[in-house]
């Protein structure tokens, strides 16, 4: 399923998400999208780089897309940057 | 000069770097590379998004490239992720 091939990166350690990415590929996924918002964007890049260089040498970056999302918070709407990194074979 | 068309993003407020990007384009640059390492990567994405959506509507993301750089520190070599976002007309 498409939902299974997305890894949302948050505040956990990088290796948690790397494990998720590697698991997706080992389960037969052709490509995996790594998504993050705000300060987690840096970690998403770490996840992509560590997955690729240390665990998945045959996987490469297929595309990187950045955007701005509007979130509703207690103090009104606020803009936050987002990134989507697609890894594929 | 090529050096003038690169903006290195560090720990200053986002708007400082946005101003640098806008200034480059207003000085005649055809494209500007926004570069950052480590935790500044999130801020680099903010710089690209704010520059584009608020100040430079005719500019778009030409390419995004991620990599791993090895830095020599007091405690030995360490790996850090890096991003390069190219904005262009």
């Amino acid at each position: 399923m498409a939902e299974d091939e997305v890894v949302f990166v948050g505040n956990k350690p990088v290796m948690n998400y790397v494990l998720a990415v590697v698991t997706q590929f080992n389960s037969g996924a052709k490509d995996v999208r790594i998504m993050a918002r705000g300060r987690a964007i840096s970690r998403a890049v770490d996840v992509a780089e560590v997955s690729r260089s240390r665990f998945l040498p045959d996987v490469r970056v297929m595309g990187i897309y950045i955007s701005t999302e509007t979130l509703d918070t207690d103090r009104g709407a606020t803009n936050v940057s987002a990134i989507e990194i697609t890894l594929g074979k």
Side-chain angles (χ1 to χ4, degrees), chain A:
Chain A
M1 295 196 298
E3 289 89 340
D4 290 339
E5 294 163 4
V6 175
V7 173
F8 289 96
V9 175
N11 293 318
K12 292 177 190 168
V14 169
M15 291 309 288
N16 291 34
Y17 304 107
V18 170
L19 180 64
V21 170
V22 172
T23 303
Q24 298 285 358
F25 278 111
N26 288 346
S27 304
K30 286 280 172 288
D31 41 52
V32 173
R33 288 186 295 149
I34 300 166
M35 301 179 73
R37 287 197 290 220
R39 275 186 276 181
I41 288 174
S42 305
R43 189 168 292 123
V45 174
D46 288 340
V47 170
E49 285 294 299
V50 171
S51 298
R52 216 161 47 103
S53 64
R54 222 185 295 173
F55 299 101
L56 302 162
D58 55 338
V59 161
R60 59 194 185 86
V61 176
M62 309 298 279
I64 305 174
Y65 177 74
I66 61 174
S67 60
T68 303
E69 296 182 6
T70 303
L71 295 183
D72 287 321
T73 68
D74 300 345
R75 293 164 301 173
T78 184
N79 289 328
V80 63
S81 298
I83 197 167
E84 181 180 321
I85 303 169
T86 303
L87 296 182
K89 290 192 181 181

